[in-house]
Amino acid sequence: MNDRITNRVNISGSSNAPIVQTGRNTGNLIVGSPQATVAAQDLAALLVALRTQAAQAQLDKAAVVEDNLDDLIADAQDPGSATPAVVQSRWTKVKGLLGGLSEFTDLIAKISEHIQRLFG
């Protein structure tokens, strides 16, 4: 009889619950996904593009927009340590300040999709 216990666990999709692994792990433990990394990099690039355009547009409350975009860029660069509710709040504030301006519509739509995918 083999005393070795082998458990293979595959969790896919979205999981916001903590996963606790105890005992000895001799196999591969893969956390996250390459797709999430690519999406975060894409989000950061889109946010940088939006910040650049917003800086050139001479907006009312430009400092608020730029500060929130800087924070969102940092969140996109390290999504594991970002708090989803804070990210959503920052993005809602930026969208509210830029929402009526047609030159930002495409970027806002793309960024909203990425934020929803990464931070729910």
Side-chain angles (χ1 to χ4, degrees), residues 44 46-55 59 62-76 90-91 94-95 98 104 111:
L46 290 169
L47 288 165
V48 168
L50 180 59
R51 190 187 188 293
T52 301
Q53 286 185 14
L59 303 167
V64 175
V65 171
E66 290 176 9
D67 287 345
N68 279 282
L69 286 172
D70 288 342
D71 291 339
L72 285 165
I73 291 166
D75 292 335
R90 288 176 179 149
W91 180 237
V94 170
K95 281 193 313 185
L98 299 178
F104 302 114
I111 293 169

Side-chain angles (χ1 to χ4, degrees), residues 14-16 36-37 39-44 47 68-69 71-92 110-120:
S14 296
S15 176
N16 292 328
T37 302
Q41 291 170 348
D42 291 346
L43 175 58
L47 288 165
N68 279 282
L69 286 172
D71 291 339
L72 285 165
I73 291 166
D75 292 335
Q77 291 170 340
D78 188 12
S81 63
T83 305
V86 173
V87 172
Q88 293 285 357
S89 174
R90 288 176 179 149
W91 180 237
T92 299
K110 290 176 185 176
I111 293 169
S112 292
E113 181 181 321
H114 277 73
I115 287 178
Q116 182 62 35
R117 191 173 340 144
L118 285 171
F119 301 104

